[in-house]
Amino acid sequence: MLPWAVAVHGGAGEVEPERAGAVRRGCEQAAAAARDVLAAGGSALDAVCAAVALLEDDPEFNAGYGAALTRDGTVEVDAAVMVGAGLRAGAVAAAPGLRHPVQLARQVLAAGEHVLLSGPGALAFAREHGIFPEPDGALATEKAWRRLEAWRAGRTAAARAGGGTVGAVALDSASELAAATSTGGTTGKRPGRIGDSPIVGAGTYADEQAGACSATGHGEAILRVLLARDAIDRLRAGASAPEAARAALHELAERTGAQAGLILVDRTGRVGRALNAPHMPFAVARAGQDQIESGLDAA
Ligand code: ASP
């Protein structure tokens, strides 16, 4: 059995001191869920979906329950999954009211017909697979409303309206790679806005020849540099996982001035992380290590 590894992030952004313990624990629990899948010989795809689904249920994070609100006070979520083998991907964008968009993205991947479904069409596809949106308002937490009020009062800079996006990358014992990312996007976004998370190559990427990556941060900037694909290209060109993560993030900062973070895993299970936003909670689990490594990276 080859060594498996999984890394999870809980979004690049500001984590207030009183939330630090909760977001770290959330990432640890997500990494533990993925570890259980991988240790039992399960797939990288199952592992990243299990990790992300757990974080979508956790109100501390900007995904599923607790997602950021649009300027109309509604929830529209973005998510993607990708597996390295055959560059197969599935994603949903601006999908209203879904608690587990990662599950729907996975169904899009499994169906194989399209890569990205959005809006009402995504919900129609969801219904065909027994996935239904939550009632209006059910995913909106008090914290998300407070953030929208701060945004409406002009107290939140556009580039800082994100944070709390979740993602996972994994290598399984059959050497398969997968990545998943899920988000409510940015507080105060226009309805219909699509960020980087569901866009293959921007927020999410996996390539059997190199590695898997999940990015987070200022979506409009990440989209313009295709951050996840850039990081994976650097791996393919021979950089180590930490070097590839740092170099791709440096490029984003130089070219756009924006803040972001990313995690990646290479074909040997080596993990890289990089960040230029204030914080990014993370957790890593790997074969042969009892302890889950976790923390709150700070730029
Ligand atoms: N990248 C996400 C978006 O712009 C936000 C985040 O990562 O917090 O939709």
Side-chain angles (χ1 to χ4, degrees):
M1 190 143 121
L2 288 158
W4 51 263
V6 57
V8 169
H9 73 75
E14 191 101 43
V15 176
E16 302 81 2
E18 63 275 15
R19 292 182 49 238
V23 296
R24 186 172 170 173
R25 267 193 307 283
C27 288
E28 280 173 5
Q29 284 162 3
R35 175 194 60 195
D36 292 348
V37 172
L38 294 166
S43 71
L45 178 61
D46 280 344
V48 294
C49 288
V52 166
L54 214 86
L55 294 167
E56 289 173 336
D57 276 330
D58 188 331
E60 285 300 332
F61 298 95
N62 168 16
Y65 180 55
L69 302 177
T70 68
R71 60 187 62 180
D72 295 349
T74 54
V75 167
E76 292 187 358
V77 291
D78 294 341
V81 296
M82 185 159 183
V83 294
L87 303 175
R88 291 164 61 231
V92 293
L98 292 181
R99 188 177 182 112
H100 291 299
V102 74
Q103 286 173 352
L104 187 58
R106 190 186 175 148
Q107 294 291 346
V108 175
L109 182 153
E113 183 183 7
H114 300 301
V115 167
L116 175 61
L117 292 176
S118 71
L123 288 191
F125 177 83
R127 278 194 296 276
E128 286 171 25
H129 291 82
I131 298 172
F132 298 94
E134 301 290 317
D136 282 353
L139 298 178
T141 58
E142 260 179 48
K143 175 150 57 75
W145 278 115
R146 277 201 304 278
R147 287 191 171 167
L148 183 61
E149 277 152 27
W151 179 86
R152 284 178 173 154
R155 296 197 301 270
T156 316
R160 290 178 177 267
T165 288
V166 304
V169 295
L171 171 78
D172 66 28
S173 52
S175 300
E176 297 281 357
L177 290 152
T181 312
S182 179
T183 188
T186 49
T187 294
K189 69 183 183 181
R190 284 182 187 276
R193 180 262 191 189
I194 295 169
D196 58 299
S197 309
I199 304 300
V200 166
T204 310
Y205 202 71
D207 179 350
E208 61 193 329
Q209 295 178 358
C213 178
S214 172
T216 169
H218 187 208
E220 281 69 15
I222 296 171
L223 277 165
R224 291 199 291 263
V225 301
L226 295 175
L227 181 63
R229 173 65 195 251
D230 183 24
I232 295 300
D233 280 349
R234 290 170 194 271
L235 275 182
R236 194 188 295 100
S240 70
E243 279 164 11
R246 273 197 299 272
L249 192 74
H250 181 74
E251 174 84 6
L252 169 128
E254 288 282 297
R255 301 293 301 274
T256 69
Q259 293 189 341
L262 64 95
I263 56 171
L264 55 81
V265 64
D266 71 13
R267 291 163 66 203
T268 69
R270 186 146 189 228
V271 168
R273 305 192 304 272
L275 174 76
N276 71 343
H279 303 114
M280 183 172 72
F282 72 92
V284 178
R286 55 178 69 257
Q289 270 179 26
D290 292 341
Q291 290 289 328
I292 290 176
E293 179 198 347
S294 71
L296 192 64
D297 277 335

